Structure formats: structure tokens, C-alpha cells
Amino acid sequence: MELEKHYIPDTLMLEERAKAVMNCIIGMADEDYNYIPFFNANLVEKPAHMTHGDWDFGSSHGRLIDALTLARTMTGETFGEEVEEKYKENLLSFFKEDGMNYRLPEVIVGDPTANMIDQRAVILALTSWYLTTKDPKAKEAADKHVAALKRIAIKEKDVWYYPASEYTEKGWPSKNAVHIRLAPDPASFCGRLMMPLLKYHEATGNQDALELCEFFSALIIHRSGVFNEDGSFNASLAYRSGHFHTRIGTLESLARYAGFTRDASITHFVKKSYDWVLKQCTAFGWTPGDLQEQAYEHETCSLVDLIATGIALAHSGYSEYWGVVERFIRNHLTESQLLDLDWVEQREDKSMDEPGYKTYYKVAERSRGAFAGYSAPNDFACDVNHGRGHTSDLQLCCIGSGTRGLFMGWSNTVTEHNGTVRVNFLLNRGSRWLDVYSYLPHEGRVELKINQDIGNLEIRIPKWAGYNKVRVEREWEGQQRIQTGRDASSWI
Ligand SMILES: [Zn+2]
């Protein structure tokens, strides 16, 4: 008897990409420096090398712990658990009694400081860590951290903010800055922080986290000036020249908060700005770094912010963004992942290394699976005449956020709400309700294998398909029914 064969199309599998990036998340660890991961890599230079940097502490560790948690959820892979343990131990060791996460004094000049951008990655990691393991260590640190974030916020009647980019053990570095109500770039330090705070509130009910979101969203929308009236970014120097990653990250925070509070006015605020951003980037999602000197370099981080904001808007009813986001996932996120390293020259020994700062050791092998740090629209390594020229090929933040981008695609491909199961992205995906087999882009064909009774099933038909031409074949108990999309909408 011949066995029935079911061929799976050889098309994009986000789970495979998540497995690939895990190699690099583990490989970036510096075993000669207490497993603190390297931050940058220069792959163009011969031989290639990786270096440590300012972001080595809460930011890098937070990003990688979050990314590993998401990649393991997608793949079930267990390799590198001992390195993950080191990352977690390190992250917890950077906390001080006051609940804030500090940079180690040996690499920074002067007193230890808690960088406010780092804190966002820290609470994100603790949230994912707690959500998947229910580890009380993660919750204890997170509760203390959120309480600290609330305690140190400068509170006015309608808005809260931070008066500097860094906090110290003795308090804010300048009493005068507090006095004269300085609120440096609220998008970088307050806006982006809302997203993990909201997630932490949803996971644990922590009220401080929600309250911070409430007052930060008021700050961004009503008082900050980060976004201009028409939705465009304020490009002045005080707003980091309209730095895309921190602005779009703020839009993601607001979009999720709007969904949570069911506040359509905030959703509208985000949509206006998102539509402006879509006009600044390529059709496949390459964004400028900012509106000034970084305009020619793109971080994977900004692309993932675009993906996450688009998904949040789609969940709030703007379903046209599902197609935009699928294009970004297929044509840029997965294209920004480094799988072929034949062009990178690596050393097989550590004789050229500068311990605690730089390594040349097996750089190609260790970075396989990474996402681009600063890329040009068509090149992984950016070395254009405009702007700053060649800077970093890998940045650890982008490796972490690239993984989060894969997870966002994977976890939103099939969703269920009140008995309606929706296929939002035409990507391969197994789920308890149904399995999606996608033949795209080789053939305009998608198969759904239904695993259980579904009250209402909807599948998004992409704009380019032409609804009238869509042919739907259903098979059930040997019966076949054929329909066309002639009288259907964009959802069938
Ligand atoms: Zn980045």
C-alpha cells in the first residue's frame, strides 16, 4: 500500500528563521568577559571583528533575554540554555537597591548611571521571562523596577516625564533640570517605555505600570511636540533629529495603549503619523534612521516598530495594514537576516583579541542568523556617500528586535476572537484551529487544513489578488465545493 504523501511547500517558515537567529543570540556572548554579549560587529573589515559598547548592560541583556524567550516559544529549541542563564544572572546583577538597572562602573566614566533607554529593554525582558516561566525572581525584580520608574518620574497635574536620559543613585543628576521642567526627548525615554509597561500590566495587573502609561501617553500626545500636527516627526535636534526607531516605537506603544483602553482618538493619532511614516520609507519597509545625518542608514529596530504598529492598528480595525505588514515581513525583515556569510573573513584563534573590548574569533560563524544593524536599501552593510559612511554592520538591539519581529508575524498569522478565526498573514503556520500551507510567492495558492470546528473562518485576500478571480475549493468528507470570490469582500 502506498502511503499518502502531503508535500509541504518550501516557502518561508518563520520558525526556521527563529532557530537561525538563536545561533547568533548565543554566539554574541563573550565567554572571556562574564558572558556579556558584544554589541557591534564590523563584518566588512578583514578579518571581521565584534566589539563591546555602551549598550552592553540592561539594553543588550534585556533585548537578548526577550528574544531568546520568544524564539524558544516559536521553535521549542533548548540549545544555549547555560548562556541564557548567564544573561539572566547578569541582568539581575545590574539592579541596585533602588530598583533601577545600572551600567557597570568599570566601563563608564564617573558614577554608575541607570540609562533610561536601557530600562525599556529591562522591563520588556522581565515581562517575557515572567510570562513564560512564572519565575518569582523575574516578578520581584519587575515589581521593584516599575515602582522605581514611577517614583522617579516628575509628576505634574496632567503629565509625567523624566528630566534626563540617566538617573543616578543620588537621584536626578541636576536639580536645576527638575526645577526648570526639562523633559528631554520624551519619545526616547517615556514613549517607548509604555509598550512593555502595558504588557506587564496585562500580565500581572500591576497598577503602577498602567498609571505610567496613562501619564506618558498624555505627555506624548498633548504636551511633548514630538509629533507635528500633520503626523510628521519633529526633526529638531532636541528630538533626536526625528530618530525613527524611538518615534515609531512610541507609536507602537500608543497603538497598543489605544487598543487596551479602546480610545479611538489615540488610534487616530497613531494612524495619522503611521501613514506619514509609510511615505518616508520604501514600499518594503526600509526607513531612514532619522531626518538628518542618519537619514541613509536603517536599523532593523525601526522596521520591527513599523511591523508592530501596523499590527496594532490592524487589530483596532484598520485591516488594510495586514497586507503592508506582510510585505515588510517577507520583503525586508527576513531579507535582513544574515544567512550567507561566505563574504566574511574570520579568524580561528583569539591571538588578535583585546579582552573585554574586541574579538576576531569565529565572527562569521557566531553571527550567522543576525539581523542588520545599519543597512542600505539593497545592501546588508551600509557604506553610502551621504550621512556617516560605514558604521556598524550588526547592532545587538537589532538582533533582539528582529527576533521580536519574527514573533509578531508568527503570533499574528492566525488569530481567534469571539469564535472567529482569522488568517491575517498568508504564511505557513500550525495552530490548534487550522494549519496554513502557503505556496506564496511561487504560486498564488494557500491551503488550510482545518483541525477543529470553527464558528466563523475568515482569510485575508491580498489586494493584488483581484477578489473576483479568487477560487475557493472546499473539501469535507469526500465532498468538494468550488466557489469564486465574485461576491466576497477582501475577507473570505
Ligand atoms: Zn537596533
Side-chain angles (χ1 to χ4, degrees):
M1 192 180 104
E2 205 177 319
L3 288 172
E4 192 191 337
K5 286 179 186 154
H6 192 111
Y7 290 104
I8 298 170
D10 183 17
T11 54
L12 181 62
M13 294 280 292
L14 295 179
E15 296 90 338
E16 285 175 3
R17 299 313 194 94
K19 186 179 172 185
V21 73
M22 284 176 70
N23 170 70
C24 158
I25 295 173
I26 302 296
M28 294 293 276
D30 184 353
E31 57 183 17
D32 300 320
Y33 190 48
N34 202 26
Y35 290 86
I36 289 177
F38 288 98
F39 181 76
N40 277 301
N42 184 331
L43 303 176
V44 173
E45 219 165 270
K46 301 196 180 308
H49 58 77
M50 305 199 283
T51 46
H52 284 290
D54 289 354
W55 304 102
D56 275 4
F57 305 99
S59 176
S60 285
H61 285 79
R63 291 281 200 176
L64 292 194
I65 292 166
D66 175 59
L68 268 175
T69 305
L70 303 181
R72 289 198 198 288
T73 304
M74 290 173 70
T75 61
E77 290 288 345
T78 54
F79 70 86
E81 277 175 335
E82 54 313 322
V83 172
E84 185 178 6
E85 261 325 293
K86 293 278 182 196
Y87 288 160
K88 287 180 171 173
E89 268 172 38
N90 283 347
L91 181 76
L92 294 182
S93 76
F94 304 146
F95 278 109
K96 289 196 183 286
E97 248 328 286
D98 65 4
M100 297 292 284
N101 201 275
Y102 284 79
R103 294 182 174 186
L104 284 185
E106 60 251 43
V107 284
I108 54 165
V109 182
D111 291 334
T113 55
N115 179 285
M116 297 311 294
I117 290 182
D118 290 0
Q119 309 309 311
R120 188 255 180 199
V122 169
I123 186 63
L124 180 66
L126 294 173
T127 302
S128 310
W129 176 358
Y130 177 69
L131 267 171
T132 48
T133 62
K134 299 283 174 254
D135 186 342
K137 278 204 302 283
K139 184 163 187 297
E140 192 191 323
D143 282 341
K144 228 172 140 181
H145 190 221
V146 172
L149 291 171
K150 179 178 171 182
R151 191 181 66 245
I152 68 170
I154 303 301
K155 300 172 188 72
E156 302 210 345
K157 188 166 151 263
D158 303 317
V159 298
W160 293 359
Y161 61 91
Y162 298 126
S165 63
E166 285 163 308
Y167 185 76
T168 78
E169 279 181 279
K170 294 174 202 143
W172 289 110
S174 158
K175 287 216 162 43
N176 182 253
V178 178
H179 239 58
I180 59 175
R181 308 165 79 208
L182 271 192
D185 188 32
S188 298
F189 309 120
C190 305
R192 279 182 67 240
L193 193 54
M194 288 167 58
M195 177 275 200
L197 284 170
L198 181 63
K199 274 194 91 63
Y200 191 64
H201 168 75
E202 288 174 319
T204 63
N206 184 304
Q207 284 302 317
D208 290 345
L210 185 63
E211 207 177 355
L212 280 160
C213 291
E214 222 174 289
F215 285 94
F216 286 163
S217 79
L219 167 72
I220 298 292
I221 294 172
H222 302 298
R223 300 284 296 279
S224 76
V226 169
F227 300 97
N228 298 322
E229 274 297 306
D230 62 357
S232 61
F233 297 169
N234 188 329
S236 57
L237 199 53
Y239 295 93
R240 299 191 64 198
S241 308
H243 182 254
F244 271 55
H245 171 31
T246 43
R247 262 109 281 262
I248 313 173
T250 296
L251 292 177
E252 182 204 349
S253 287
L254 289 173
R256 286 182 184 243
Y257 182 67
F260 178 80
T261 53
R262 302 190 150 269
D263 186 330
S265 71
I266 299 180
T267 303
H268 177 72
F269 179 92
V270 174
K271 185 188 183 314
K272 186 169 61 173
S273 206
Y274 192 72
D275 288 341
W276 176 83
V277 178
L278 292 182
K279 291 196 199 102
Q280 311 307 307
C281 63
T282 65
F284 53 86
W286 185 94
T287 70
D290 69 13
L291 293 163
Q292 303 290 343
E293 51 285 310
Q294 282 181 258
Y296 297 92
E297 49 198 53
H298 161 88
E299 274 188 76
T300 299
C301 286
S302 314
L303 171 65
V304 173
D305 297 330
L306 271 186
I307 289 171
T309 309
I311 290 173
L313 287 173
H315 279 304
S316 291
Y318 291 106
S319 57
E320 64 267 31
Y321 295 124
W322 290 119
V324 173
V325 171
E326 183 169 333
R327 207 167 63 224
F328 292 169
I329 292 171
R330 285 180 179 277
N331 297 341
H332 202 35
L333 179 67
T334 50
E335 293 299 317
S336 301
Q337 191 173 20
L338 194 55
L339 301 173
D340 171 13
L341 282 124
D342 290 351
W343 54 282
V344 179
E345 189 182 306
Q346 72 170 13
R347 282 186 69 89
E348 301 297 325
D349 62 64
K350 295 184 178 178
S351 59
M352 282 174 68
D353 284 15
E354 295 170 47
Y357 172 58
K358 194 174 197 176
T359 188
Y360 292 85
Y361 181 60
K362 292 188 187 293
V363 170
E365 212 172 292
R366 294 165 75 176
S367 53
R368 181 168 285 115
F371 288 91
Y374 279 133
S375 65
N378 290 314
D379 294 300
F380 191 92
C382 174
D383 190 4
V384 292
N385 289 333
H386 306 285
R388 302 187 301 175
H390 185 237
T391 52
S392 307
D393 300 323
L394 300 187
Q395 298 196 81
L396 195 136
C397 51
C398 297
I399 297 167
S401 61
T403 314
R404 182 157 266 285
L406 295 176
F407 181 81
M408 294 299 295
W410 180 80
S411 57
N412 285 283
T413 295
V414 181
T415 53
E416 190 272 340
H417 186 64
N418 287 343
T420 291
V421 174
R422 282 186 156 191
V423 179
N424 304 307
F425 299 130
L426 304 183
L427 293 164
N428 294 318
R429 177 75 160 95
S431 78
R432 90 181 78 130
W433 307 286
L434 52 82
D435 299 336
V436 186
Y437 297 92
S438 174
Y439 289 71
L440 272 62
H442 308 300
E443 255 184 88
R445 175 177 164 192
V446 174
E447 280 178 19
L448 304 181
K449 183 173 163 286
I450 309 300
N451 296 331
Q452 66 174 55
D453 278 351
I454 295 172
N456 184 36
L457 171 62
E458 298 183 359
I459 175 167
R460 184 181 58 82
I461 302 303
K463 256 188 185 167
W464 46 262
Y467 311 137
N468 281 352
K469 294 181 190 159
V470 173
R471 181 182 156 93
V472 185
E473 295 180 13
R474 296 177 199 217
E475 276 180 31
W476 184 62
E477 290 183 345
Q479 304 268 346
Q480 196 182 42
R481 232 176 83 201
I482 296 177
Q483 273 183 302
T484 70
R486 196 163 287 277
D487 37 34
S489 68
S490 56
W491 292 84
I492 288 183

